[in-house]
Amino acid sequence: MERDQVVQLLGIPESSFVTNGIERLLYTYREDPISADDPLLDASTQFKTAAKRFDETLKEYRYVVILNNGKVSGYKELLD
């Protein structure tokens, strides 16, 4: 897969950098929170409290796509 295909599939990377001819594209994926203000959902205080607690459990994932000569040579999740 080439760089343009990666960007078409995953979107524009948050950042990118090149070292020793190897390009790295950095991406972050965030789980979508529940909108407690959504008019289609129960607007009770109990629901809003539960939605807030659920949103606090959502995670953020960071990935790097590694390109060598403009083609994907690897990818991995970045762990803190």
Side-chain angles (χ1 to χ4, degrees):
M1 180 179 281
E2 296 183 357
R3 185 188 199 286
D4 291 343
Q5 293 171 302
V6 172
V7 172
Q8 183 178 14
L9 183 66
L10 300 178
I12 297 171
E14 285 187 31
S15 64
S16 63
F17 61 95
V18 178
T19 50
N20 300 324
I22 306 295
E23 183 175 16
R24 290 169 178 81
L25 307 177
L26 301 173
Y27 289 93
T28 300
Y29 168 74
R30 292 174 188 88
E31 296 176 327
D32 291 330
I34 294 175
S35 174
D37 297 323
D38 188 329
L40 298 175
L41 298 173
D42 178 6
S44 71
T45 303
Q46 184 178 7
F47 172 78
K48 288 183 179 188
T49 301
K52 184 178 178 187
R53 265 193 238 127
F54 173 78
D55 290 348
E56 291 170 356
T57 68
L58 298 178
K59 296 181 181 179
E60 179 176 279
Y61 302 92
R62 296 175 48 228
Y63 295 92
V64 61
V65 177
I66 303 162
L67 303 164
N68 190 353
N69 293 321
K71 296 189 186 270
V72 173
S73 63
Y75 65 93
K76 65 179 178 177
E77 182 176 2
L78 300 174
L79 303 173
D80 292 329

